[in-house]
Amino acid sequence: MARFYAVNADPYAAIQAATRAHRALHGCDAYTFEDGPALRQLAARWKPTRILELGTALGYTACCLADGSASAQVDTIEADAEHVALARSQIERVGLSARIAVHHGRFEDVLTVREDRYDLAFFDGFAPDPAVMGQITARLVTGGVLICANLALARLSVAQQLLDDLDDPAKWQREPSIEGGRTHVRIKRGA
């Protein structure tokens, strides 16, 4: 059944608010993504069936991505055990636990043991790392969508290296950015 929302409606705004409240109380790095509706729109546009997310926090963006593509299965990775428990609870509360699997561990460790291929990958961890981005790219199918947040949080030299890679037209097709230009969107070309 298709869902219709008012232009500015966000059905997962309560999870976003819970993430902000948790961060204020816990003093942790569980920042919430600011443009969940754009993620829903991207997922609706490309209709991925397999989605990889790095950086779960309390599950806000995993829910947005799953909601955007009704047939999608989402694997989301989170290192903080408390966040994993809170995310699973939030995801269960909104009825998406059958479609979203929350994996506990460091990105590079979980990605090393998983061999899945994905149609869409969303990096929303603290700052992208070239090795982790390489693991993500390897799991992304040709024609798959990469959404990369927080590039500006990486050291300047690392951010430039990653941006140079993302701007390589032999590897990526550039799409309009989201989240006020802070989050890059690319389509993978070739293997």
Side-chain angles (χ1 to χ4, degrees):
M1 176 161 121
R3 295 181 184 178
F4 298 95
Y5 307 104
V7 173
N8 293 323
D10 184 348
Y12 307 107
I15 299 174
Q16 192 178 48
T19 305
R20 287 186 181 108
H22 170 77
R23 182 175 177 277
L25 182 66
H26 192 231
C28 63
D29 290 329
Y31 289 89
T32 188
F33 191 74
E34 295 300 327
D35 199 356
L39 289 178
R40 281 196 351 256
Q41 290 171 357
L42 289 173
R45 176 180 172 193
W46 281 294
K47 298 182 184 6
T49 58
R50 296 295 317 271
I51 297 173
L52 172 64
E53 176 187 49
L54 287 82
T56 311
L58 272 63
Y60 171 67
T61 51
C63 291
C64 292
L65 290 164
D67 187 58
S69 182
S71 63
Q73 292 292 317
V74 179
D75 286 316
T76 184
I77 305 170
E78 174 60 49
D80 186 296
E82 184 176 354
H83 296 167
V84 168
L86 291 168
R88 287 176 177 155
S89 175
Q90 292 287 343
I91 291 165
E92 175 71 29
R93 184 181 61 75
V94 297
L96 289 171
S97 60
R99 296 184 40 229
I100 300 173
V102 181
H103 304 278
H104 179 225
R106 293 173 359 120
F107 300 152
E108 55 273 22
D109 296 339
V110 175
L111 288 172
T112 298
V113 299
R114 298 195 64 79
E115 296 182 12
D116 304 290
R117 303 279 292 168
Y118 297 93
D119 307 302
L120 187 147
F122 175 48
F123 180 89
D124 192 29
F126 179 68
D129 170 86
V132 171
M133 292 303 290
Q135 287 180 293
I136 295 168
T137 300
R139 282 159 185 74
L140 195 62
V141 299
T142 298
V145 180
L146 173 66
I147 305 167
C148 183
N150 302 332
L151 194 58
L153 299 177
R155 284 189 346 260
L156 187 57
S157 61
V158 171
Q160 189 59 56
Q161 174 188 353
L162 291 168
L163 192 55
D164 288 346
D165 182 66
L166 290 173
D167 286 340
D168 182 346
K171 296 179 182 178
W172 302 101
Q173 173 186 317
R174 188 182 196 132
E175 292 288 318
S177 297
I178 61 172
E179 200 189 24
R182 294 184 307 273
T183 297
H184 302 273
V185 181
R186 301 290 189 271
I187 308 299
K188 183 177 177 183
R189 299 182 193 267

